[in-house]
Structure formats: C-alpha cells, structure tokens
Amino acid sequence: MREIVVISGKGGTGKTSITAAFAHLAESKVICDLDVDAPDLHLLLDPAVVREEAFISGHEAVIDPDKCVGCGLCASMCRYDAIDPDGDVYRIAPLRCEGCKVCVAFCPEQAIDFPDRHCGQRYLSDTRFGPMVHAQLFPGQENSGLLVSRLKKEARVLAEERGLDLILCDGAPGIGCPVIASLSQTDLAVVVTEPTPSGVHDLERVAGLCDHFRTKVAVIINKHDLNPEHAGRIDALCSEKGYSLLARLPHDTAVTEAMVRRQAVTEGPDSEIARNIREAWLKITNLLHS
C-alpha cells in the first residue's frame, strides 16, 4: 500500500484542485481530506455520507450555576482568564478554557463538571472517484493533529478491507501539527507552490519539514508563467535539493470553470493544464514504484 499527501507551505496555491484531479486519475485508492480545520475537497467531489461520528478529544470545564456560590476561587486560579462573573455566579468561556482541570480540583462546592469535549465530526463517504475519509473541526477547536492521525488510520484500515493499494491525501497548508501528522507513514509528499516570494519561502520550509521526516519530495509549480524569475528560483532549489519537479502548470481559467461545475479540471474539456496534470500523475506513479 502506498500513501501520497499533497501539501503546500501556504494556502491558496491550488493544492485541493490538483488533489481532486489526482483523485480522478488514480485507481484503486482511498481519498482522505486531512485539512480538518478548513476542508474543501468535498466541494469538488460531492461526497455522499455513509457514516458520521463525533470527534471527542480532551475535556472542558462547565460550571453548574445551581451549585456555584460565587466565591470566585476558580476565577482567581485560572491562568487562562477563561472564567468570568455571570451575575451572582461564574461561567466558563469554552473557547478560552484549556481543560487543565485546576478549577475542577479546587472548587470547594464541587460545582464544576469536566465532560468530554466534542470537537468536530468525522465522516466516511462515497464519491464518484471512490471512498473518502474526511472531517470538520468546530471553529476554535484544537487537536487537529490527533484528528488527522485518526483519519489516516481509518483510511489505511478501509484500504486494507477493500483491497485498495493507494491512499491519496489532501493535506493542510503550512508546517504545523496537522501537516506533521499528515507526513507520518507517507511515501511521497507532493508540494504545490507558486512563483512568488512567499511561495518560494514556504516551499523551503515545508520541504525542509519533509526532509526532517525523510519523506520523498516532489514539487509542482502552479501558475509558473506569472513570474518566470521566481519559477526559476524554484527550479534551482529542486535541482540543488534533489526534489523531483513534476510539472510547471500554467495559469488557466479551466481550473475555475471546473470548480464552478464542481468537477476536477481533468474531467472537463481537454486543456493544457489538464494534460500537464496527467503527465505529473504519470511521473508520480513512476516515483512510487522506483
């Protein structure tokens, strides 16, 4: 079983559109959207949910107003300023609560409960390209790295059950916890970048992260024709570091037109960018078996 994750050092590089095209071209795969904070692959793949489960992670403190006597001890001990007066009693702001349990332990009236924290939803869905594992964290919730790890594990189990030999992941942008979790057990990281100063800088950061975890790196330059100078800098970086340069994709309105139709760009009429993505996918399959 092979695993590919498509990532980018910054948002807005076209990563999800390229992942959707790969999902269209790949065979015998499980699709996995690991951008759990702001997922959008479902907008193109239109998944039909088969199973939905709550994502429970950590705990949150909740004050019972019927038991609270308004002593204020919890507020004085909270280091996160998460407890505020509410009339004669106190209440906890859930977005500021870090779940440290200090208030629970020291409340003299035992008026603070500590239930599990419902952080988001996990989904198993069917798409026209095959099964898809995805999730959505609620706004302001944390533990995205843990959720990514669970999605990857579920995708691997699903692939084994169905005899599929590829896991194709749409990763999160940046270099934070969800990206680090995405790179676990990954055979190839496809980094999508663009020819801008920030694009070059963030490519260096995320590729360096892949090098740290000894993950093979391949690069796609999206909209390469917007700035030939910076595209040349990316070419030089790939040559210096030994990264495979899969494609130089042109700026093409076919991508936007496909998004409006809720399709991958390779599903629509033939275009230069669709041909380039097909060639890039062929190079990826060769890299996986080299």
Side-chain angles (χ1 to χ4, degrees), residues 13-272:
T13 61
K15 168 179 60 63
T16 298
S17 293
I18 291 172
T19 304
F22 288 163
H24 172 231
L25 299 173
E27 298 179 355
S28 184
K29 79 283 183 180
V30 174
I31 306 162
C32 193
D33 190 350
L34 301 180
D35 188 1
V36 296
D37 290 292
D40 53 9
L41 187 58
H42 63 280
L43 299 176
L44 299 179
L45 302 193
D46 194 23
V49 175
V50 175
R51 186 177 71 241
E52 179 178 353
E53 297 179 4
F55 173 57
I56 305 297
S57 179
H59 300 267
E60 60 181 337
V62 179
I63 296 176
D64 184 344
D66 295 329
K67 295 181 180 179
C68 179
V69 297
C71 69
L73 179 63
C74 57
S76 65
M77 299 188 72
C78 181
R79 301 188 63 177
Y80 303 102
D81 296 324
I83 304 178
D84 303 309
D86 185 16
D88 295 332
V89 296
Y90 283 80
R91 62 178 179 84
I92 297 175
L95 293 182
R96 299 203 301 269
C97 177
E98 293 290 332
C100 69
K101 205 178 179 180
V102 167
C103 59
V104 178
F106 287 93
C107 177
E109 302 297 322
Q110 298 184 349
I112 305 178
D113 297 322
F114 201 51
D116 292 335
R117 186 192 295 267
H118 182 194
C119 298
Q121 296 294 113
R122 295 188 295 138
Y123 306 95
L124 170 62
S125 300
D126 285 331
T127 74
R128 62 188 181 278
F129 300 148
M132 176 176 174
V133 177
H134 53 122
Q136 171 73 72
L137 277 177
F138 296 146
Q141 297 297 336
E142 298 180 356
N143 294 319
S144 55
L146 175 61
L147 180 53
V148 165
S149 297
R150 290 188 180 179
L151 290 179
K152 283 170 63 72
K153 182 178 180 179
E154 184 175 349
R156 187 165 290 272
V157 170
L158 182 64
E160 291 173 350
E161 290 176 349
R162 301 193 182 186
L164 305 175
D165 53 20
L166 177 65
I167 299 174
L168 176 63
C169 303
D170 183 16
I175 58 171
C177 288
V179 179
I180 293 172
S182 298
L183 293 176
S184 173
Q185 295 184 299
T186 295
D187 297 287
L188 177 66
V190 177
V191 183
V192 181
T193 187
E194 56 189 6
T196 63
S198 61
V200 176
H201 173 263
D202 292 330
L203 167 63
E204 293 174 337
R205 293 198 311 159
V206 74
L209 181 66
C210 295
D211 291 340
H212 176 77
F213 289 105
R214 299 181 181 178
T215 301
K216 187 183 296 186
V217 175
V219 176
I220 292 177
I221 308 176
N222 195 18
K223 304 176 185 176
H224 79 97
D225 44 352
L226 295 186
N227 193 318
E229 178 183 352
H230 285 98
R233 289 182 58 191
I234 296 172
D235 287 348
L237 176 65
C238 291
S239 297
E240 177 187 348
K241 298 291 186 179
Y243 304 146
S244 299
L245 184 58
L246 299 174
R248 299 174 182 85
L249 303 181
H251 182 271
D252 195 328
T253 57
V255 177
T256 305
E257 293 164 1
M259 283 194 294
V260 171
R261 297 192 303 269
R262 301 187 70 177
Q263 290 183 333
V265 67
T266 50
E267 290 183 270
D270 186 42
S271 62
E272 180 183 358

